[in-house]
Amino acid sequence: MSPGLGLKLGWTAFRSRGRGEARFLWSSSLALALGLVPLVLVLAIADGMIEGISSRTIETSLSHDQAWPLVSTPKVDPETALKVVPGFRSALREQQGFALAFSAGARLGVSLRGVEARWALDPGVRRFLKADSGSLTFPNARSAWVGRESAVKLRLKVGDTVKLLTTRSVGTLSAPRVTSLTVAAIVSVGYEELDRLWVFVPVETSLTLLDSAENPVFWGLKSDRPLAESAAFLHEVRSALGSDWQVYSWQSTGRSQFLNYQATRFLLLVVMALILLVSAVNISTSMVTLVQQRRQETAILKALGGSTGLIRSQFLVLGLGAGTVGTAVGMAAGVAVALGINGLISGLETVLNGLSALRAWISGQPFTATRLLDPAYYLESLPVKFDVPLLVLVAFGTIALAALASAVPAWRASRQRPLDVLRRA
Amino acid sequence: MSDVILEFRQVGRVFTETAEPVTLFQGLDWSLNRGDSVAIMGESGTGKSTLLHLAAALDQPTSGSVWLEGQEISRMGEKALSPLRTRSVGLVFQFHFLLKEFSVLENVLLPSWLAGTPKKAATERALALLERVGLSHRLGHFPGQLSGGERQRAALARALINDPPLLLADEPTGNLDEKNAELVQNLLLELSADAKKTLLLVTHDRSFAARAGYCLHLRGGQLVRP
């Protein structure tokens, strides 16, 4: 038997006339492609968002590692001791606690972060932490950088005074303390969920505001090594610092957060895979219809000596063809949509706001602009990252799914008795 | 090589799909010699087509056995039957059963593709056959563009492409007008005689049957001389 005969016979369905066989296959391909577009999009955006949020969290909040002293006066100073560790960049003191911030008629619970002035010079921090106004320096010990959202709620701008209410233990009592600070900068890392409650002060100032027993100082460690090598770095840091220090990696300090991202990504993938599964069922349904429509051709082929393998292969070729076309179109469309998603959203936002403005003008109501990407929940623009090996896996998986969906109809076609059809004809 | 090409041994065929079982044959013993041309006649429903289907291994007897070229085809599985149908049997039905998506040439070549015949040799033979049946000017046409007689002539060329020793024709002119019927009859008889094929022909047409080597009537599940 000619090896390409199954392909040739299958291909004839695409160029067939009159019974819409090609239409069935094209619509199945299209359904598969439409199922793939959201999958590629969600995958690209989820990966981009996870990477964007994770990078911001690690570089501006968790540090690569954290070193916590276990004794009041450790034998070694981290900055000095860690110079021997390859890739070590910095070890900067930090203190974190809570405070009540208030200004002209507004108040807000904030996350107070005492950092060293050179913390803002770290390349990782500089990459993400931007000053909307002011500059990332502390002109004096009574200066503060306020997160963008906190500044909005507290109605603050650079040069204004913000008061912080903190407590410190005095014996068994907690003594409140109010400190006035001057806003030196309004800052943001581009992800509101992370920075909306941040207020930065020099660590020397935070030491006077927060109780060191309840809010101990730790050292945020940064390395030049890729994050993937953090386990090796951590091991060397632990060896260099000795037993007076407890060292945690970003994976352990942000464990629940990162697990949450992965779980969300997995669930999204499961939902998208279900959509693909429905598309595959669609291919199977089309193949069943096709097998039914081509009963006479199948019977003729068998009567002329066509083997069961040939009959199976022609329908498998059709399913595989529909799957491959659908996958190629879906992947290309998914990548294109992902690459242009921010432009699409921006365009949609413009159209919606134009319509809202028109409606407001007609009704005389005030116009409120709509923001589709609310920075409270998302990064300010949707980041896109393509996990190429995973996308290749998805593509091959989809084609395999399409072939699998055609397998049962193809097998049924090959089991058909030619005489049952030829007698009726 | 045995003189007998086709043999029915104690063949029975009972259809049980109907409300009342229908027995067409019971203990049918019959053989067909190589090179013979025989016409089977009989009333409708006596089992003429079924006899042909059994000979082509498209149907299986409920009892007994059918032998083709010394092989018991009634016990063969689909895997073994495929090459046998391709190489040993040429089929012409009352309806042409050409594939509508294939051109005339492709339809004639189809059994040669199934048999794996080298392309050049197959094409040469197909062109010669199509010339012989008067369709050399219709090579690229599709079945839908042909007349009934032309379709049946194409089907006849297709049946002969693999040079099978046994040609089975089931009412091959049943759907044709007188002129086309005569043309197809002439071609069928001439081509099978020229190529020394064994011809098993089922027909209602007495004059057509009379042109075969001999004629048999199917009555009461047995083949008898008229």
Side-chain angles (χ1 to χ4, degrees):
Chain A
M1 184 193 305
S2 162
L5 191 53
L7 184 66
K8 185 176 170 64
L9 291 169
W11 176 247
T12 55
F14 273 103
R15 62 180 176 104
S16 68
R17 291 163 291 277
R19 284 187 305 194
E21 288 164 352
R23 186 170 48 82
F24 271 119
L25 291 165
W26 287 125
S27 62
S28 302
S29 294
L30 186 67
L32 197 68
L34 288 176
L36 265 176
V37 172
L39 189 141
V40 174
L41 191 61
V42 163
L43 210 59
I45 290 174
D47 284 349
M49 285 189 75
I50 288 171
E51 192 197 63
I53 294 168
S54 302
S55 304
R56 281 166 172 79
T57 306
I58 293 163
E59 295 296 347
T60 66
S61 180
L62 300 177
S63 291
H64 297 175
D65 294 303
Q66 291 179 4
W68 294 73
L70 296 174
V71 293
S72 55
T73 48
K75 291 188 198 82
V76 295
D77 167 57
E79 186 109 55
T80 313
L82 293 176
K83 277 182 181 159
V84 295
V85 175
F88 169 73
R89 194 158 74 204
S90 63
L92 301 175
R93 279 183 303 158
E94 181 167 344
Q95 188 181 25
Q96 295 183 355
F98 292 99
L100 182 67
F102 52 96
S103 64
R107 62 174 183 270
L108 181 71
V110 295
S111 171
L112 185 63
R113 294 183 62 182
V115 295
E116 293 191 38
R118 59 195 171 106
W119 176 78
L121 302 176
D122 176 79
V125 175
R126 275 166 49 191
R127 187 175 154 210
F128 295 113
L129 188 73
K130 307 290 179 198
D132 289 350
S133 57
S135 65
L136 292 175
T137 54
F138 293 118
N140 54 58
R142 287 286 184 259
S143 316
W145 308 332
V146 182
R148 184 190 291 165
E149 186 67 11
S150 304
V152 170
K153 287 184 176 162
L154 294 167
R155 297 181 208 119
L156 291 172
K157 59 183 186 302
V158 172
D160 286 352
T161 299
V162 59
K163 290 179 178 174
L164 294 182
L165 173 65
T166 52
T167 56
R168 286 172 66 90
S169 299
V170 179
T172 55
L173 300 172
S174 284
R177 174 181 175 156
V178 175
T179 310
S180 293
L181 301 163
T182 306
V183 177
I186 308 293
V187 297
S188 170
V189 292
Y191 178 51
E192 198 182 294
E193 193 68 19
L194 190 64
D195 66 19
R196 74 179 161 188
L197 299 177
W198 280 352
V199 171
F200 293 91
V201 296
V203 69
E204 291 78 13
T205 306
S206 73
L207 285 167
T208 65
L209 304 181
L210 299 169
D211 194 323
S212 293
E214 286 180 17
N215 309 104
V217 172
F218 66 89
W219 272 252
L221 311 181
K222 288 287 182 75
S223 143
D224 287 330
R225 292 194 200 179
L227 289 176
E229 289 180 23
S230 61
F233 179 71
L234 181 71
H235 177 73
E236 289 170 50
V237 165
R238 280 177 176 154
S239 302
L241 291 181
S243 58
D244 287 354
W245 295 85
Q246 180 72 49
V247 187
Y248 302 98
S249 68
W250 60 267
Q251 288 101 327
S252 64
T253 47
R255 184 180 165 78
S256 60
Q257 189 180 355
F258 298 128
L259 281 176
N260 191 21
Y261 296 152
Q262 290 305 325
T264 306
R265 180 178 184 264
F266 177 73
L267 285 174
L268 283 169
L269 272 178
V270 168
V271 172
M272 297 301 137
L274 285 176
I275 295 174
L276 269 189
L277 205 62
V278 172
S279 305
V281 170
N282 194 32
I283 284 192
S284 190
T285 309
S286 293
M287 293 306 297
V288 168
T289 311
L290 210 63
V291 164
Q292 190 65 26
Q293 285 198 338
R294 296 184 71 80
R295 284 186 77 206
Q296 186 165 308
E297 284 83 350
T298 302
I300 294 167
L301 277 173
K302 289 196 90 173
L304 294 178
S307 65
T308 52
L310 172 74
I311 306 299
R312 260 199 307 268
S313 71
Q314 67 161 328
F315 288 107
L316 280 175
V317 160
L318 286 176
L320 209 59
T324 307
V325 170
T327 302
V329 172
M331 280 295 194
V335 168
V337 172
L339 288 173
I341 188 69
N342 287 302
L344 284 173
I345 289 173
S346 170
L348 190 62
E349 210 170 77
T350 306
V351 170
L352 288 175
N353 282 327
L355 291 172
S356 295
L358 185 67
R359 195 178 63 179
W361 180 71
I362 291 167
S363 63
Q365 299 289 317
F367 163 68
T368 314
T370 306
R371 287 196 69 179
L372 291 178
L373 284 185
D374 187 339
Y377 304 105
Y378 304 103
L379 298 167
E380 286 165 357
S381 65
L382 289 177
V384 174
K385 180 173 182 278
F386 295 107
D387 184 343
V388 177
L390 183 60
L391 288 180
V392 170
L393 191 72
V394 167
F396 279 105
T398 308
I399 293 171
L401 202 63
L404 205 65
S406 328
V408 173
W411 179 79
R412 289 185 67 175
S414 72
R415 303 280 296 170
Q416 181 185 304
R417 278 166 44 90
L419 209 51
D420 294 344
V421 181
L422 298 180
R423 270 202 192 110
R424 285 193 199 108
Chain B
M1 192 187 290
S2 163
D3 276 352
V4 174
I5 187 167
L6 179 69
E7 190 176 5
F8 284 59
R9 293 183 191 168
Q10 286 294 303
V11 168
R13 182 67 176 97
V14 182
F15 286 93
T16 52
E17 292 87 356
T18 47
E20 287 288 316
V22 177
T23 303
L24 289 180
F25 316 117
Q26 194 95 47
L28 174 66
D29 280 313
W30 177 66
S31 60
L32 181 61
N33 285 340
R34 201 174 289 275
D36 281 359
S37 93
V38 58
I40 309 283
M41 296 191 71
E43 289 175 14
S44 295
T46 51
K48 302 186 295 298
S49 292
T50 302
L51 192 80
L52 214 71
H53 296 152
L54 288 168
L58 291 172
D59 198 5
Q60 288 183 321
T62 31
S63 60
S65 58
V66 180
W67 296 70
L68 178 65
E69 293 202 296
Q71 296 181 81
E72 189 182 350
I73 58 173
S74 47
R75 280 179 187 264
M76 280 184 179
E78 275 295 316
K79 200 172 177 181
L81 281 174
S82 290
L84 184 117
R85 285 186 190 131
T86 310
R87 296 197 169 276
S88 302
V89 181
L91 279 166
V92 184
F93 295 95
Q94 185 173 354
F95 184 69
H96 58 82
F97 288 129
L98 298 173
L99 295 183
K100 72 181 182 75
E101 297 95 352
F102 284 14
S103 68
V104 168
L105 181 62
E106 287 172 326
N107 264 294
V108 172
L109 281 169
L110 185 57
S112 72
W113 294 338
L114 296 172
T117 312
K119 192 177 174 182
K120 192 178 172 212
T123 309
E124 280 172 6
R125 182 164 169 78
L127 291 173
L129 281 167
L130 284 166
E131 169 107 44
R132 184 78 171 82
V133 300
L135 289 176
S136 53
H137 62 299
R138 295 286 215 176
L139 302 180
H141 286 73
F142 291 92
Q145 298 168 312
L146 303 181
S147 69
E150 286 174 324
R151 288 176 197 158
Q152 204 60 336
R153 281 186 272 151
L156 180 57
R158 182 181 64 185
L160 291 165
I161 184 74
N162 284 340
D163 199 18
L166 178 62
L167 193 58
L168 303 171
D170 188 5
E171 300 276 9
T173 57
N175 279 347
L176 302 178
D177 59 47
E178 202 174 329
K179 188 181 163 198
N180 272 306
E182 193 178 342
L183 189 59
V184 171
Q185 285 172 14
N186 291 341
L187 280 169
L188 183 63
L189 294 169
E190 284 167 23
L191 282 168
S192 60
D194 290 354
K196 297 186 174 55
K197 304 288 172 208
T198 307
L199 174 65
L200 178 56
L201 168 69
V202 166
T203 183
H204 278 115
D205 186 335
R206 285 180 186 279
S207 61
F208 187 19
R211 296 175 67 186
Y214 63 95
C215 183
L216 293 173
H217 274 256
L218 192 56
R219 273 196 213 112
Q222 293 296 322
L223 286 164
V224 293
R225 293 269 179 181

